[in-house]
Amino acid sequence: MKVVLVHGIFNTGHVMRVLQKRLQASGHECFSPTISPFDGRHGIEHAAKELGQQIDAIFGVDANIVLVGFSMGGIVGRYYMQRLNGARRVSQFFSLSTPHNGSYLAYLPYPSKGIKQLRPNSDLLVELAKSEAVLEGVKLYSYWTPIDFTIVPSSSSCWRVAENKSFIIILHLSVIFSRRIAKEICNEIVLSSAA
């Protein structure tokens, strides 16, 4: 299966390498693009458009993919699927510690459009919530940890239209280094392929 891994804010595609290697060891073809600028200053829309362009460049415009988004990368992935027609080619979407309902930490004074869009009830999050019907053909998963001090409250990672699963993992970034998360993703890909 072709898998695209989307990093979070203040990171590059390199931060997803451990998860990428674990998925590759299970036989999946993985791509972990770097979405710039790293601080989301141009907003989720810009990042999602760049994501789509990089996916097309690597896998072509028609290949089916599995999408994995970490933190803000999960919101970028949702925008790509819901607003840029990406849902037509995504079979499964795994969001990892993604603030689907916003994070109060996004109120910290940092001049980034993308961060402001992650505030609870932001225009962008409300818009995405209203257009979730386009994801009907995509299997949705939200994996998160209750011990997350970046997504505040951590339960904001629960997504009403997804299969939600919590893991006891200490700290936000640790989610993408978890062997349990990687194994869970691999198992769900296999189950979906067999169905």
Side-chain angles (χ1 to χ4, degrees):
M1 183 61 69
K2 292 175 170 59
V3 182
V4 178
L5 302 103
V6 189
H7 64 82
I9 197 164
F10 304 126
N11 292 132
T12 66
H14 185 73
V15 78
M16 305 297 281
R17 291 295 187 258
V18 171
L19 178 55
Q20 178 176 337
K21 286 180 180 178
R22 287 176 177 154
L23 295 177
Q24 286 172 331
S26 293
H28 303 295
E29 183 181 353
C30 297
F31 172 52
S32 183
T34 290
I35 310 296
S36 60
F38 313 141
D39 65 357
R41 73 184 71 165
H42 299 316
I44 301 296
E45 305 91 337
H46 171 85
K49 184 177 179 182
E50 185 175 332
L51 172 64
Q53 291 169 344
Q54 292 198 48
I55 291 172
D56 290 350
I58 295 296
F59 291 137
V61 297
D62 294 318
N64 288 331
I65 61 170
V66 169
L67 195 58
V68 179
F70 167 62
S71 194
M72 187 177 83
I75 301 299
V76 172
R78 281 185 62 186
Y79 195 94
Y80 165 71
M81 291 189 297
Q82 293 178 233
R83 305 298 293 166
L84 301 180
N85 200 30
R88 66 176 177 79
R89 65 183 304 179
V90 177
S91 59
Q92 292 170 286
F93 174 58
F94 297 87
S95 64
L96 312 179
S97 287
T98 293
H100 294 290
N101 302 296
S103 173
Y104 287 108
L105 204 66
Y107 283 105
L108 289 176
Y110 187 85
S112 167
K113 179 181 178 182
I115 289 181
K116 291 176 183 174
Q117 289 174 317
L118 298 181
R119 292 173 179 173
N121 297 310
S122 72
D123 289 345
L124 182 127
L125 291 181
V126 169
E127 173 191 330
L128 289 178
K130 287 179 179 176
S131 65
E132 288 170 342
V134 303
L135 299 173
E136 190 175 329
V138 183
K139 291 187 178 179
L140 307 171
Y141 310 84
S142 183
Y143 298 162
W144 60 287
T145 175
I147 314 169
D148 191 328
F149 303 113
T150 300
I151 309 302
V152 181
S154 59
S155 60
S156 181
S157 290
C158 290
W159 187 15
R160 64 180 186 84
V161 296
E163 180 181 320
N164 293 278
K165 192 164 188 178
S166 66
F167 296 79
I168 302 303
I169 299 168
I170 298 173
L171 301 179
H172 184 67
L173 192 63
S174 300
V175 168
I176 57 174
F177 300 115
S178 166
R179 289 183 184 276
R180 286 175 292 164
I181 295 276
K183 184 176 180 181
E184 189 81 16
I185 292 172
C186 287
N187 288 345
E188 289 296 344
I189 293 174
V190 168
L191 287 172
S192 181
S193 299

